[in-house]
Amino acid sequence: MTRLVYFAWVRERIGKAEEEMSLPSEVVTVGDLLNHLKGLGEEYEMALQFPEAIRVAIDMEHAEHDEPIGNAREIGLFPPMTGG
């Protein structure tokens, strides 16, 4: 099981802060994960409609979309951050 944690408007659109999920074997990279999640329902599709804008952390380390997930215990998904 992998713990998925959602932040900011990703959390608001999906409707939950986190969940435990068994990922299918075809989900190998971060990009695969985002595509898989988009297929789980309208709320996921809405939250991830622009996957290139989603930032991901695997076990609290920033990851690019082409990076393998491996045996991640926790994956965080969040929008780009802005600030001043």
Side-chain angles (χ1 to χ4, degrees), residues 5-83:
V5 183
Y6 308 115
F7 297 94
W9 54 256
V10 175
R11 177 186 64 234
E12 292 168 11
R13 292 177 183 172
I14 290 176
K16 56 182 101 173
E18 63 183 65
E19 64 185 316
E20 295 277 334
M21 185 178 293
S22 291
L23 299 175
S25 60
E26 63 269 11
V27 175
V28 176
T29 66
V30 170
D32 294 339
L33 172 64
L34 296 176
N35 285 332
H36 172 71
L37 292 174
K38 283 174 66 172
L40 295 181
E42 186 177 314
E43 64 277 12
Y44 291 90
E45 188 174 346
M46 187 173 69
L48 304 172
Q49 64 182 327
F50 301 108
E52 65 279 357
I54 302 298
R55 302 294 178 245
V56 177
I58 298 175
D59 293 328
M60 298 188 186
E61 296 279 332
H62 175 76
E64 299 297 329
H65 288 200
D66 61 349
E67 288 188 45
I69 291 172
N71 293 320
R73 294 191 321 195
E74 180 182 276
I75 301 174
L77 284 77
F78 50 95
M81 293 185 212
T82 60

